[in-house]
């Protein structure tokens, strides 16, 4: 009998890639998504990749009654992976209440329902944003968490505390928070990928849209940072490597292999890459000379961050497999596939 895994936000960027990996590992993912930042057609594309069309329920996790009815109907859920959240740093500064309400209320309702229905395991989609600008690099899981630089980052910090405190108060709940660094790229089939609504906030989708000619030019937000080439440094990991880590985390919880009721793992390559180096990677894999302009810094950006992934490497037996160029090529292949309407 396949174990049923609830994937909230499962038609989104990381959620859809994780749903593919869950199916390929013999699980039965079931998705709740309100399609705020994704499209229902993603489940058809997942079916093209895996041969399995995951069940999709379309509603908002903040609708407590609907969520309770859903869990009553699906009383054989073994674990939950919680992706559903608003995640645009800039937008969160302009709409803090929407971010706190959506990201925190949905998590609180989900935990309540899990406790009520005896669902014991949760994997939480967290972010390296919780670190702010780390004093020491590469950053480890026990680095002090600096005050969040955005309401989005704060919802991740508070979310982790809510989960940790719940696992302390209720020994039946075990959880793992996965702190993502910068996920990029797309499934090698180019049937699913990152599809931001409107003007992309994140670097790589803006890069590939500029390469395709949808955007006039890329604005590089600052080259006066204290880094080798002056542009910000991040840890870009392939989204499929990231998705695989979620399956490992789910197995760890279901098989009772967690060391404590609440664990945290950094998911990154361990390598810092600057914005200008990312542009060069795109130019190598696409053969296109990218049009870009150096402009002023973006508010809220930290200067540099990259992971020390050794704890996840050792404890989860997980590490990233794709190089920057390999990940960037999948992002470019996805952009072309999607824009050429081959989907
Ligand atoms: C990366 C670098 C920008 C766009 C955010 C979230 C984080 C995670 C990943 C969820 C920065 C520069 C960007 C552009 C640019 N999300 N940039 N021109 O801000 O590191 O992280 O996304 O888990 O939680 O905070 O990612 O891709 O926006 O920026 O120069 O048009 O690219 O200044 O240095 P970020 P990003």
């Amino acid at each position: 009998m396949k174990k049923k895994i609830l994937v909230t936000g499962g038609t989104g960027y990381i959620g859809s890639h994780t749903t593919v990996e869950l199916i390929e590992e013999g699980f039965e993912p079931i998705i709740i998504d309100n399609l705020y930042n994704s499209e229902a057609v993603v489940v058809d594309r997942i079916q093209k990749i895996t041969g399995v069309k995951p069940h999709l329920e379309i509603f908002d996790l903040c609708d407590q009654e609907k969520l309770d009815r859903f869990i009553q109907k699906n009383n054989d859920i073994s674990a939950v992976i919680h992706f559903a959240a608003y995640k645009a740093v800039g937008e969160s500064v302009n709409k803090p209440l929407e971010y706190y309400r959506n990201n925190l209320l949905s998590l609180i309702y989900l935990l309540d329902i899990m406790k009520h229905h005896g669902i014991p395991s949760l994997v939480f989609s967290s972010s390296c944003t919780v670190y702010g600008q780390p004093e020491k690099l590469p950053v480890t899981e026990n680095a002090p968490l600096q005050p969040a630089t955005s309401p989005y980052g704060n919802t991740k910090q508070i979310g982790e505390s809510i989960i940790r405190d719940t696992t302390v108060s209720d020994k039946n709940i075990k959880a793992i928070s996965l702190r993502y660094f910068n996920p990029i790229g797309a499934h090698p089939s180019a049937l699913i990928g990152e599809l931001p609504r409107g003007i992309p906030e994140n670097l790589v989708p803006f890069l590939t849209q500029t390469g395709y000619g949808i955007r006039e030019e890329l604005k590089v937000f600052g080259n006066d940072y204290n880094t080798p080439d002056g542009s910000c440094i991040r840890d870009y990991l392939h989204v499929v490597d990231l998705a695989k880590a979620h399956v490992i985390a789910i197995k760890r919880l279901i098989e009772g292999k967690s060391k404590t009721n609440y664990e945290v793992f950094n998911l990154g390559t361990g390598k810092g890459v600057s914005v200008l180096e990312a542009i060069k990677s795109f130019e190598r894999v696409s053969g296109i000379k990218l049009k870009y302009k150096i402009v002023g810094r973006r508010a809220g950006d930290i200067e540099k961050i990259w992971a020390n992934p050794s704890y996840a490497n050792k404890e989860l037996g997980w590490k990233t497999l794709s190089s920057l160029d390999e990940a960037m090529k999948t992002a470019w292949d996805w952009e072309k596939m999607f824009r050429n309407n081959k989907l």
Side-chain angles (χ1 to χ4, degrees):
M1 182 72 176
K2 290 189 176 188
K3 288 198 181 305
K4 198 181 266 188
I5 309 295
L6 170 57
V7 183
T8 74
T11 55
Y13 175 39
I14 301 160
S16 56
H17 287 83
T18 301
T19 299
V20 165
E21 298 307 320
L22 284 167
I23 292 168
E24 304 208 328
E25 279 296 308
F27 289 100
E28 181 195 342
I30 180 166
I31 296 170
I32 295 176
D33 206 305
N34 66 359
L35 305 182
Y36 170 82
N37 194 20
S38 59
E39 295 167 6
V41 70
V42 166
V43 293
D44 300 307
R45 295 177 189 153
I46 290 173
Q47 183 174 26
K48 277 195 190 143
I49 297 171
T50 64
V52 172
K53 183 172 180 177
H55 179 77
L56 167 62
E57 290 273 339
I58 301 171
F59 69 88
D60 191 317
L61 278 180
C62 289
D63 183 332
Q64 240 179 333
E65 259 158 59
K66 274 194 181 162
L67 180 57
D68 195 45
R69 278 203 304 275
F70 171 86
I71 299 290
Q72 278 180 34
K73 218 170 75 184
N74 295 276
N75 57 11
D76 53 351
I77 287 170
S78 303
V80 181
I81 306 181
H82 182 45
F83 291 105
Y86 297 158
K87 65 149 215 166
V89 172
E91 183 186 51
S92 77
V93 174
N94 303 324
K95 301 177 179 174
L97 288 181
E98 285 187 46
Y99 269 69
Y100 286 116
R101 182 189 59 77
N102 182 66
N103 291 6
L104 298 182
L105 265 191
S106 55
L107 174 63
I108 291 166
Y109 291 159
L110 185 63
L111 283 167
D112 239 355
I113 293 275
M114 286 178 66
K115 282 166 60 76
H116 185 69
H117 291 278
I119 302 175
S121 305
L122 173 70
V123 172
F124 178 59
S125 167
S126 190
S127 166
C128 60
T129 326
V130 301
Y131 294 113
Q133 176 56 65
E135 273 135 31
K136 198 165 157 298
L137 287 167
V139 65
T140 60
E141 287 81 356
N142 47 31
L145 303 190
Q146 307 294 335
T149 55
S150 70
Y152 161 74
N154 209 16
T155 66
K156 290 300 180 185
Q157 280 187 358
I158 299 168
E160 286 196 11
S161 304
I162 291 171
I163 294 168
R164 188 199 52 231
D165 294 349
T166 303
T167 62
V168 168
S169 70
D170 181 338
K171 295 298 171 210
N172 299 322
I173 299 266
K174 287 186 173 50
I176 291 176
S177 284
L178 298 176
R179 290 177 181 165
Y180 310 159
F181 282 69
N182 286 58
I184 64 168
H187 191 267
S189 66
L191 289 170
I192 53 174
E194 191 169 6
L195 192 59
R197 285 191 190 292
I199 302 175
E201 278 235 351
N202 290 129
L203 175 67
V204 170
F206 203 107
L207 249 177
T208 55
Q209 287 187 18
T210 305
Y212 198 80
I214 294 165
R215 307 287 162 202
E216 187 49 36
E217 66 179 5
L218 171 75
K219 291 184 178 63
V220 173
F221 296 135
N223 68 345
D224 56 350
Y225 287 97
N226 177 21
T227 61
D229 64 19
S231 64
C232 289
I233 294 177
R234 295 291 185 274
D235 183 332
Y236 297 100
L237 73 156
H238 191 214
V239 67
V240 173
D241 288 335
L242 181 64
K244 290 179 187 300
H246 290 75
V247 180
I248 294 170
I250 278 287
K251 284 180 177 174
R252 183 178 176 88
L253 289 167
I254 289 177
E255 293 161 11
K257 296 214 173 96
S258 308
K259 290 254 163 59
T260 60
N261 270 21
Y262 180 60
E263 296 180 303
V264 176
F265 295 97
N266 281 347
L267 299 182
T269 66
K271 194 174 167 311
V273 169
S274 75
V275 176
L276 295 176
E277 286 170 331
I279 291 171
K280 290 197 184 73
S281 169
F282 173 77
E283 293 181 333
R284 279 195 298 273
V285 303
S286 66
I288 292 170
K289 186 93 186 76
L290 195 86
K291 266 188 77 181
Y292 68 88
K293 185 167 74 172
I294 308 286
V295 299
R297 295 182 173 192
R298 178 174 68 174
D301 271 339
I302 60 163
E303 180 172 76
K304 49 194 170 192
I305 186 168
W306 61 94
N308 175 336
S310 54
Y311 186 55
N313 299 160
K314 181 171 143 296
E315 275 304 312
L316 299 180
W318 171 88
K319 66 181 175 59
T320 53
L321 302 175
S322 294
S323 68
L324 173 67
D325 283 12
E326 285 163 346
M328 190 64 80
K329 181 162 183 328
T330 62
W332 179 231
D333 289 345
W334 156 250
E335 186 71 57
K336 290 184 289 182
M337 174 75 97
F338 182 75
R339 301 298 167 189
N340 296 342
N341 286 321
K342 288 195 190 136
L343 289 181

